[in-house]
Amino acid sequence: MTRIRPPAFDRVRHALAATRRRLWARAGLASAGWAVAALGALALGIILAAALGGGPWLRPMGVALGGLGLMAVGALGFVRPSWRYRQDDAVAEHLEQGLPALADGLRATVQFGREWPEVPGSPAMVARLAEGVADTLTDSDLAAVTPLEPARKPWLLAAGVAAAWGVMGLVAPATLSAGLAALQPPVNAAGEVETGPLVGDLELTLTYPAYVGRAPKTIPNSAGDFEAPKGTRVTLKATTLEAVAGAQLRFGDDAEGPALAVTGGREVSGAFVVTAGGRWRFAVTTPDGDTQVESAPRRIKLEPDQAPEVVLKVPDADLELDDLRDVSVVFEARDDYGLSKVNVVIALAADPDHPEKVGQPAVEGKRYAGDEMVDLSVVQAQPGDRIALYVEAFDRNDVDGPQRGVSATRYITVNDPKAKHFELSERLREVIELLVTALADRLEVEFYATAEDLDPLPARIDKYLRSTEAASQALAAIVADMVDDPLTPEEVRLALAGRLGTLEERLRADARLVEATTESLEAGHKRSVDRVNKSNERVVDALEQAIVLVEAMVARLALEDMEALAEELQAMRSRLKDLIQQYKQNPDDKALKARIMREIQRLRQRMNAMRERMAQLRQKLPEEFLNLDGLKKDDVAKGLEKTKDQLAELEKMLEDGKLDEALAALDEMEAALDELANTLDQDMQELHENTDPAMQKAISELMDQAKDLMREQKAVSDETEQLKKQADDAMKRLFEEDLKEQLAQVNQKAERLKKQAQDVDASKLPRAAQDDLKFAQEQAEALKGALDRQQLMEALESSENARQHMRDVGQMSRYDPRARPEQGKVQQGQQLAQEISDELRDMLRQAMQQSAQSGDPQQSRQLGQRQQQLAERAERLRQRVGEQSQQMPQLGEEAQKRIQQAGQAMQQAGDQLSQGRPSQARPGQQQAMSELDGMMKALQNANKPQRAQRGQDGKQQGQGRRSSREKVKIPGAEDHASPEAFRKELLEVMKDGAPKAYEEQVKRYYESLVE
Amino acid sequence: MVARILAVWLALTGGAFAASDAEVQAIHEAIANWQTVEARQKLEPLLKADPDEPGLQFAEARLLYFEGRYGDAVNLLDQLLARLGPGAPEAVKHLRAEVGQTHDTLKSFDEYVTPDGRFRIRYTGRDKLLMPWLAEVLIKADKALAADFAWRPEGQILVEIYPRIDYLAKVSSLTEEAIETSGTIALCKYNRLMFTSPRGLVKGYGWRDTVTHEFVHYYVTKKSRNTVPIWLHEGIAKFQETRWRTGPGEALDPPQEDLLARALKADELVTFQQMHPSMALLPSQEAAALAFAEVHTVVEFLHGRKGYAGINALLTNLRDGKEMDQALQGVYGVDLDGLWGVWKRAMQAKGYKEYPGLVRTTMRFKRPGQKEDTELEAELGTIEEKRVKDFTHLGELLRARGRHKAAGKEYRKAMALGGDGNPVIQNGLSSALIEQGDVGEVPELLQKVQRYYPTYLNTFLNLGEAHLKLGRAPAAIAAFEAAVGINPFHPRPHQALTSLYEQAGQPERAKLARESLELLK
């Protein structure tokens, strides 16, 4: 039986289909909502991230995430529910859940509909079931069973995202714009599209610079990253990923770069040199003409070339030297690629810009060890200088030029005796305070007062004893130290020592007296007090003299120091001038120029020293000494200032190569320095004169007498000259008239003699005779000249000499057969010379007779008497100088000696005049004048202060004084207990060391200071 | 001079002008003779008639300069030079440079007019302190001089005080060297009194007599219409310089007398001819001092013969154009040579005495930048004998260290050898004694040096202190006032005078001293 399929099954199927469509629509709607929300949020996030600094990479990331999101949303929100509801059973289940009235009839109906007519049980029942289900479905609101509500949530979220977009659009539109801009496709500034790698199979070949000493290196399949030293040549070849019309390299952010060769549309090759580390890329031009550049750069890392490392081993610390000796220098230099040059460098610390370099031999390899004795004089170092020493090494870098490595710098100080001397001067100045205190204590002591508020007399006395002792000891220590100070003039030291001796002697006597009378002083015995008072006055007197002397010596030392500095400046200026003249000849000599600049620096340094010294002098000396003209009027300071300005100009001229102007400036500086030295000299002289007025007076008187004597000697000399002239005139007349014919004959003979001598053939004479012939010829020539000048004495001497030489020629050649032909000529010459001599003697006799007759004997005798009187006055003056020298040995022996010689010369001249020979008197007179002049100069010199022995440039000369004083022991803490013994020893030593005359001189010198 | 000016005038006007030669010449003559009031009266109507006339403008500029209106003169000369262009006469350019320099130097100065309106005083800085003291001297001097000369210059008198000598050099024709060599400290030139402040010298100077001295020059120039030769000018000024404080006939100071006595003895007087054109150009301060002593006594001699009537008659004769010989003959019956002779004999007869041991003191000028303090400072250079110098120096050393008793002993040693006429020694000892409170001896110690060296500041400071401690108020006031008369910038006199005046019932003077002290703070 055929069973008819009930229509209810179709009604159910249609209902199910309608429900399925709605389910699918709902899923699609929800998925779309999720997708919009997610994509909107993602897009906003990406844009914001891009705006906050993210790169273009965000864009593909956003795309990727968006795609993934869409897929996820599609799969989960749409595909999965669609798949699930593809079967009627699932839809039926969905409907049964929404329509409880169906119970499970719908799924059964669906099942039965699939199985119809083969349904289990009664088909009618099944049909009824189907009818009932279909009716229920028909009666039900199937849309309500599948509401669209679940799709609302994603769309609300999407609306929220849209709102966020809106807010951002309103609040931060710039951020959105920036973010959007940042997400644009990567196009560089040139409008080129940046892409991924453009080439493959990249092969690099690195050819290193020569100084590295490394073989070339090839890197196959390179990613393009490599490390190489600067200067390395890189050769490359690669294959482009697509066919290209052209290819380039790009370095850094450069828009252009070197072109590469393109072969076959894809093979590219080229080269470049590494100049710096950084990025590089390929760029290609497509066949369409577009340019593409690799977005990911390849990297070049620069392999560093280290500068040489230099270690100075010796000296390992700063040095202090007592003198300018050679300094040992030990060092080691290393470099990563190799050394090219090593120098030991020495410079004045004050002038590091002009060093002197001592190059090291045979520098090669990566390590160099040096051991050198360096002569500091190469920088003209001098005592007091601070010298910088270091070693420099250079590598072989020929790309950027050799790199320099420098060792630590050691400073070498050459001790300067001046520093110690200045310290000594300062101590001497300070001792004035101690002396003044001692003086005040002694002057203010009350010997007879008995006021209750006064200490007992012994205590009062003890106070001044102690202060005087302290002052005396301080002065003694200074005087002792002066022994070793070459810059303290001997006369200063000895004067101070003498004054100290007097002070100590009186102080000792005073102390002994006080000790001996302590008890009676305590008891107030007037006799004892009187004695101590008297003794005190003697010490007061010594203290007063000491203060005056010490002050004068302080001023003296300071002035002398400045004078020495001024002289040093002048010597340096002179040296500088020589150097510039040399430099003018060799303008390319850089070392010479460096030396010149160094000298200028030193000059400047010395000027500063002088300025400082002067400031100290002005600050520390009593007003009295500032009355010295130069210092008072600031002439010295002005002179220094002027010189300083000149120095600055000079430096500039040298820099500008204006050497002639520089030399002229040095000449100007010479004048300024001379002026400076003169000013100081005058001040020194003034101080000296103020310090020793008695000496000044004595010298002045002696000078006056010498001047008088000289004036009168000149008068006598002038008159003698007149007489001599008369005699000469007479002689002239004799030659021109009486002896004219005779003189002509002699002249002829002399001419013949000359010819005769020349005619002798020297080559035929023995060797020994040839020299004599030559002499004879010369004498014949000289004879002729003397006769032409009418000098008969000279002519006679020449003719005699010629005769003797001719005679010798004859004797030496008489046994030589070769010389025989010449012997006749020699004999004739000898004979001729003899005749000439005889005739000249005769003429001279006549001339002398004539001379004697021509003068005025009476006048000559009178002049002789006056000359004798002058000689006697000279003798008296000599005696006076002698007497004065006894009292003032500073006058020295020179003046006495010169006046004595003047007297003797006057005596001789007087004798000649008395014998009527004015001509013969003239030499004596001239000598007398010269000696008188010498005497006055000696007096002037004696009037000048003696200076310390300083060498050129301020260096001290010799150490004689030092060695002769070595046995002087300076009291230290251990023997402080017996300073008196030390002083005694000191004075004894000084006495031993000084010449006797000088000893007296010192005594007189300081006596004169206080008298 | 006037002829030269007239040549300028002709050059400026080109001969075409409203004013006559004679009128312009008269104006320039009046200016040259410092008759500025008269010159102004003559110039104004001419200028009114032709204000743009270059020649008249030049005269106006010159007159402004002589009236002390430097800024106006400079402006006018600048306008004139701009109009005349590069071809302007040298005299115009020269005047512009001279006035310009003066204007530049003084443009920052302040002005003070004396209460009677008679003096306009220009000063700068601390010189304000001087004003009341200076006004007092000037007013007194004006009164005395007007009586002596029986005539009084009309108009306001311009006085300028310069802080240092370099200012004086800039506004005068003298160089600093000439000023320092001759000791010139003040001038009367260009119708005004110019003097260097006492603070421009290390230890001040007798500025009151000096100001009066210059004021006398002012009187003489105006009265004589600038016809008096330099020797007579200086003689009258020297003779009259003390008139602000005393009657005529003040004796020579010992240093001057000593100089004159020695010069008379050695017959080495400075002649009238050597004094020309200026005492300031004499070769040394000593020569200048001798010249002043000579001319002082010449005028003293003339005054002794016929009093001020004779001197005034002589000035009138000179003003009226008589030569010196004629003018002298007319009044005294001798010509110049005759006067030299009779004066010399009179001086020899007078028996001026020398002062052995008198030391020569010279003015010590401060240099720019030098401190204005007035610390005591030994002038050991004035002592010739070495031992005396040494003892004095030791005294100074000890005194500087507060060891006054010991210092006193050293000064006494110096005095024993060097006598009691040295201001350094005497004042050193006095200072030491004052410090020890032992002042009784001081007035006597300083008696001689007070007379010998009337402008030695320390003497009066020490005297003032001594009298003060001895309770002798009038003597102390006199001493401190004398100190003010030498260096009013030393605070101590003002300090002491403040209380001394109050005690003496002179509140106005006390106020003056107090105000001076305030200005020194």
Side-chain angles (χ1 to χ4, degrees), chain A residues 605-653:
Chain A
Q605 210 180 338
R606 289 293 188 271
M607 275 196 287
N608 287 337
M610 192 164 178
R611 232 191 323 271
E612 278 170 26
R613 194 78 188 123
M614 200 176 61
Q616 284 174 358
L617 180 67
R618 286 186 65 87
Q619 196 183 350
K620 293 172 180 171
L621 277 184
E623 179 69 18
E624 180 186 357
F625 294 118
L626 291 180
N627 281 334
L628 299 171
D629 271 349
L631 293 177
K632 185 173 67 183
K633 290 182 181 169
D634 286 345
D635 288 351
V636 177
K638 283 180 195 162
L640 273 177
E641 208 51 47
K642 192 174 172 185
T643 314
K644 187 184 156 200
D645 294 344
Q646 287 169 335
L647 206 58
E649 281 173 27
L650 179 69
E651 208 168 5
K652 190 166 182 312
M653 287 168 191

Coordinates of all heavy atoms in Angstrom, one line a residue, chain A residues 605-653:
Chain A
Q605 N 108.8 85.8 30.8 CA 108.8 85.2 32.1 C 109.7 86.0 33.1 O 109.4 86.3 34.2 CB 109.3 83.8 32.0 CG 108.8 82.8 33.0 CD 109.5 81.5 32.7 OE1 109.9 81.2 31.6 NE2 109.5 80.6 33.7
R606 N 110.9 86.3 32.5 CA 111.9 87.1 33.3 C 111.4 88.5 33.7 O 111.6 89.0 34.7 CB 113.2 87.2 32.6 CG 113.9 85.9 32.5 CD 114.4 85.4 33.9 NE 115.3 84.3 33.8 CZ 114.9 83.0 33.9 NH1 113.6 82.7 33.9 NH2 115.7 82.0 33.8
M607 N 110.6 89.0 32.7 CA 110.1 90.4 33.0 C 109.1 90.3 34.1 O 109.0 91.2 35.0 CB 109.5 91.0 31.7 CG 110.6 91.6 30.9 SD 109.9 92.7 29.7 CE 109.3 91.6 28.6
N608 N 108.3 89.3 34.1 CA 107.3 89.1 35.2 C 108.0 89.0 36.5 O 107.6 89.5 37.5 CB 106.4 87.9 34.9 CG 105.5 88.2 33.8 OD1 105.2 89.3 33.5 ND2 105.0 87.1 33.2
A609 N 109.1 88.2 36.5 CA 109.9 88.0 37.7 C 110.4 89.3 38.2 O 110.4 89.6 39.4 CB 111.0 87.1 37.5
M610 N 110.8 90.2 37.3 CA 111.4 91.5 37.7 C 110.3 92.4 38.2 O 110.5 93.1 39.2 CB 112.0 92.1 36.5 CG 112.9 93.3 36.8 SD 113.9 93.7 35.5 CE 114.7 95.1 36.1
R611 N 109.1 92.3 37.6 CA 108.0 93.1 38.1 C 107.7 92.7 39.5 O 107.4 93.5 40.4 CB 106.8 92.9 37.2 CG 106.3 94.3 36.7 CD 105.0 94.1 36.0 NE 104.8 93.0 35.2 CZ 105.2 92.9 33.9 NH1 105.7 93.9 33.3 NH2 105.0 91.8 33.2
E612 N 107.6 91.4 39.7 CA 107.3 90.9 41.1 C 108.3 91.3 42.1 O 108.0 91.8 43.2 CB 107.2 89.4 41.1 CG 105.9 88.8 40.6 CD 106.0 87.3 40.3 OE1 106.8 86.7 41.0 OE2 105.3 86.8 39.5
R613 N 109.6 91.2 41.7 CA 110.6 91.6 42.6 C 110.5 93.1 43.0 O 110.8 93.5 44.1 CB 112.0 91.3 41.9 CG 113.2 91.3 42.9 CD 113.3 90.1 43.7 NE 114.3 90.2 44.7 CZ 114.0 90.1 46.0 NH1 112.9 89.8 46.4 NH2 115.0 90.2 46.9
M614 N 110.2 93.9 42.0 CA 110.1 95.3 42.2 C 109.0 95.6 43.1 O 109.1 96.5 44.0 CB 110.0 96.0 40.9 CG 110.3 97.4 41.0 SD 110.2 98.2 39.4 CE 108.5 97.9 39.1
A615 N 107.9 94.9 42.9 CA 106.7 95.1 43.8 C 107.1 94.8 45.2 O 106.7 95.5 46.1 CB 105.5 94.3 43.3
Q616 N 107.8 93.7 45.4 CA 108.3 93.4 46.7 C 109.1 94.5 47.3 O 109.0 94.8 48.5 CB 109.1 92.1 46.7 CG 108.2 90.8 46.5 CD 109.1 89.6 46.3 OE1 110.3 89.7 46.3 NE2 108.5 88.5 46.2
L617 N 110.0 94.9 46.5 CA 110.9 96.0 46.9 C 110.1 97.2 47.4 O 110.4 97.8 48.5 CB 111.9 96.4 45.8 CG 112.9 97.4 46.1 CD1 113.9 96.9 47.2 CD2 113.6 97.9 44.9
R618 N 109.2 97.6 46.6 CA 108.4 98.8 46.9 C 107.6 98.6 48.2 O 107.4 99.4 49.0 CB 107.4 99.1 45.8 CG 108.1 99.7 44.6 CD 107.1 100.2 43.6 NE 106.3 101.2 44.1 CZ 106.6 102.5 44.1 NH1 107.7 102.9 43.5 NH2 105.8 103.4 44.6
Q619 N 107.1 97.3 48.3 CA 106.3 97.0 49.5 C 107.0 96.9 50.8 O 106.6 97.3 51.8 CB 105.6 95.7 49.2 CG 104.4 95.4 50.0 CD 103.9 94.0 49.7 OE1 104.3 93.4 48.7 NE2 103.0 93.6 50.5
K620 N 108.2 96.5 50.7 CA 108.9 96.1 51.9 C 110.0 97.0 52.4 O 110.5 96.9 53.5 CB 109.5 94.7 51.7 CG 108.4 93.6 51.6 CD 109.0 92.3 51.2 CE 107.9 91.3 51.0 NZ 108.4 90.0 50.5
L621 N 110.4 97.9 51.5 CA 111.5 98.8 51.9 C 111.0 100.0 52.6 O 109.9 100.5 52.4 CB 112.3 99.2 50.7 CG 113.4 98.2 50.3 CD1 114.1 98.7 49.2 CD2 114.3 97.8 51.4
P622 N 111.8 100.5 53.5 CA 111.4 101.8 54.2 C 111.3 102.9 53.2 O 111.9 102.9 52.1 CB 112.5 102.1 55.2 CG 113.6 101.1 54.8 CD 113.1 100.0 54.1
E623 N 110.5 103.9 53.5 CA 110.2 105.0 52.6 C 111.5 105.7 52.2 O 111.6 106.1 51.0 CB 109.3 106.0 53.3 CG 108.9 107.2 52.6 CD 108.0 106.9 51.4 OE1 107.4 105.9 51.4 OE2 108.0 107.8 50.5
E624 N 112.4 105.7 53.1 CA 113.7 106.4 52.8 C 114.3 105.9 51.5 O 114.7 106.6 50.6 CB 114.6 106.2 53.9 CG 116.0 106.9 53.7 CD 116.9 106.5 54.8 OE1 116.6 105.8 55.7 OE2 118.1 107.0 54.7
F625 N 114.3 104.6 51.3 CA 114.9 104.0 50.1 C 114.1 104.2 48.9 O 114.6 104.2 47.8 CB 115.2 102.5 50.4 CG 116.2 102.3 51.5 CD1 115.9 101.6 52.6 CD2 117.5 102.9 51.3 CE1 116.8 101.5 53.6 CE2 118.4 102.8 52.3 CZ 118.1 102.1 53.5
L626 N 112.8 104.4 49.1 CA 112.0 104.7 47.9 C 112.2 106.1 47.4 O 111.7 106.5 46.4 CB 110.6 104.4 48.2 CG 110.3 102.9 48.4 CD1 108.8 102.7 48.7 CD2 110.7 102.1 47.2
N627 N 113.1 106.8 48.1 CA 113.4 108.1 47.5 C 114.4 108.0 46.4 O 114.8 108.9 45.7 CB 114.1 109.0 48.6 CG 113.0 109.6 49.5 OD1 111.9 109.8 49.1 ND2 113.3 109.9 50.7
L628 N 114.9 106.7 46.2 CA 115.7 106.5 45.0 C 114.9 106.9 43.8 O 113.8 106.5 43.6 CB 116.1 105.0 44.9 CG 116.8 104.5 46.2 CD1 117.0 103.0 46.1 CD2 118.2 105.1 46.2
D629 N 115.6 107.7 43.0 CA 114.8 108.3 41.9 C 114.0 107.4 41.0 O 112.9 107.6 40.7 CB 115.8 109.2 41.0 CG 115.9 110.6 41.6 OD1 115.0 110.9 42.5 OD2 116.7 111.3 41.2
G630 N 114.7 106.4 40.5 CA 114.1 105.4 39.5 C 112.9 104.8 40.1 O 111.8 104.7 39.5
L631 N 113.0 104.3 41.3 CA 111.9 103.6 41.9 C 110.8 104.6 42.3 O 109.6 104.3 42.2 CB 112.3 102.9 43.2 CG 113.3 101.7 42.9 CD1 113.7 101.1 44.2 CD2 112.6 100.7 42.0
K632 N 111.2 105.8 42.8 CA 110.2 106.8 43.2 C 109.4 107.2 42.1 O 108.2 107.3 42.2 CB 111.0 108.0 43.8 CG 110.0 109.0 44.4 CD 110.8 110.1 45.2 CE 111.6 110.9 44.2 NZ 112.4 111.9 44.9
K633 N 110.0 107.4 41.0 CA 109.2 107.9 39.8 C 108.6 106.8 39.0 O 108.2 107.0 37.9 CB 110.1 108.8 39.0 CG 110.5 110.1 39.6 CD 111.4 110.9 38.7 CE 111.8 112.2 39.4 NZ 112.8 112.9 38.7
D634 N 108.8 105.6 39.5 CA 108.2 104.4 38.7 C 108.9 104.3 37.4 O 108.3 103.7 36.5 CB 106.7 104.6 38.5 CG 105.9 104.4 39.8 OD1 106.5 103.8 40.7 OD2 104.8 104.8 39.8
D635 N 110.1 104.8 37.2 CA 110.8 104.7 35.9 C 111.0 103.2 35.6 O 110.9 102.8 34.4 CB 112.1 105.4 36.0 CG 111.9 106.9 36.0 OD1 110.8 107.3 35.8 OD2 112.9 107.6 36.2
V636 N 111.4 102.4 36.6 CA 111.7 101.0 36.3 C 110.4 100.3 35.9 O 110.4 99.6 34.9 CB 112.3 100.3 37.6 CG1 112.5 98.9 37.3 CG2 113.5 101.0 38.0
A637 N 109.3 100.6 36.6 CA 108.1 99.9 36.2 C 107.6 100.3 34.8 O 107.2 99.5 34.0 CB 107.0 100.3 37.2
K638 N 107.8 101.6 34.5 CA 107.4 102.1 33.2 C 108.3 101.4 32.1 O 107.8 101.1 31.1 CB 107.6 103.6 33.1 CG 106.5 104.4 33.8 CD 106.7 105.9 33.7 CE 105.9 106.7 34.7 NZ 106.4 108.0 34.9
G639 N 109.6 101.3 32.4 CA 110.5 100.7 31.5 C 110.1 99.3 31.2 O 110.1 98.8 30.1
L640 N 109.7 98.6 32.3 CA 109.3 97.2 32.1 C 108.0 97.1 31.3 O 107.9 96.2 30.4 CB 109.0 96.6 33.5 CG 110.2 96.0 34.2 CD1 109.8 95.5 35.5 CD2 110.8 94.8 33.4
E641 N 107.1 98.0 31.6 CA 105.9 98.0 30.9 C 106.1 98.2 29.4 O 105.5 97.5 28.5 CB 105.0 99.1 31.5 CG 103.5 98.8 31.3 CD 103.1 97.4 31.9 OE1 103.5 97.1 33.0 OE2 102.3 96.8 31.2
K642 N 107.0 99.1 29.1 CA 107.3 99.4 27.7 C 107.9 98.2 27.0 O 107.5 97.8 25.9 CB 108.3 100.6 27.7 CG 108.5 101.2 26.4 CD 109.4 102.4 26.5 CE 109.8 103.0 25.2 NZ 110.8 104.1 25.4
T643 N 108.8 97.6 27.7 CA 109.5 96.4 27.1 C 108.4 95.3 26.9 O 108.5 94.6 25.9 CB 110.6 95.9 28.1 OG1 111.3 97.0 28.5 CG2 111.5 94.9 27.4
K644 N 107.5 95.2 27.8 CA 106.5 94.1 27.7 C 105.6 94.3 26.4 O 105.4 93.4 25.7 CB 105.6 94.1 29.0 CG 104.6 93.0 29.0 CD 103.7 93.2 30.2 CE 102.4 92.5 30.1 NZ 101.4 93.0 30.9
D645 N 105.3 95.6 26.2 CA 104.5 95.9 25.0 C 105.3 95.6 23.8 O 104.8 95.1 22.8 CB 104.1 97.4 25.1 CG 103.2 97.7 26.2 OD1 102.6 96.8 26.7 OD2 103.0 98.9 26.5
Q646 N 106.6 96.0 23.8 CA 107.4 95.7 22.7 C 107.5 94.2 22.4 O 107.5 93.8 21.2 CB 108.8 96.3 22.9 CG 108.9 97.8 22.9 CD 110.2 98.3 23.4 OE1 110.9 97.7 24.2 NE2 110.6 99.5 22.9
L647 N 107.5 93.4 23.5 CA 107.6 92.0 23.3 C 106.4 91.4 22.6 O 106.5 90.6 21.7 CB 107.8 91.4 24.7 CG 108.5 90.0 24.8 CD1 109.8 90.1 24.2 CD2 108.5 89.6 26.2
A648 N 105.2 91.9 23.0 CA 104.0 91.5 22.4 C 104.0 91.8 20.9 O 103.6 91.0 20.0 CB 102.8 92.2 23.1
E649 N 104.5 93.1 20.6 CA 104.5 93.5 19.2 C 105.5 92.5 18.4 O 105.2 92.1 17.3 CB 105.0 94.9 19.1 CG 104.0 95.9 19.4 CD 104.6 97.3 19.4 OE1 105.6 97.6 18.7 OE2 104.0 98.2 20.1
L650 N 106.6 92.3 19.1 CA 107.6 91.5 18.4 C 107.1 90.1 18.1 O 107.3 89.6 17.0 CB 108.8 91.3 19.4 CG 110.0 90.5 19.0 CD1 110.7 91.2 17.9 CD2 110.9 90.3 20.1
E651 N 106.4 89.5 19.0 CA 105.8 88.2 18.8 C 104.9 88.2 17.5 O 104.9 87.3 16.7 CB 105.0 87.8 20.0 CG 105.0 86.3 20.2 CD 104.5 85.9 21.6 OE1 104.1 86.8 22.3 OE2 104.5 84.7 21.9
K652 N 104.1 89.2 17.5 CA 103.2 89.3 16.3 C 103.9 89.5 15.0 O 103.6 88.9 14.0 CB 102.2 90.5 16.6 CG 101.1 90.6 15.6 CD 100.0 91.5 16.0 CE 98.8 91.5 15.1 NZ 99.2 91.6 13.7
M653 N 105.0 90.3 15.1 CA 105.8 90.5 13.9 C 106.4 89.2 13.4 O 106.4 88.9 12.2 CB 106.9 91.5 14.1 CG 106.4 92.9 14.3 SD 107.8 93.9 14.9 CE 106.9 95.4 15.3

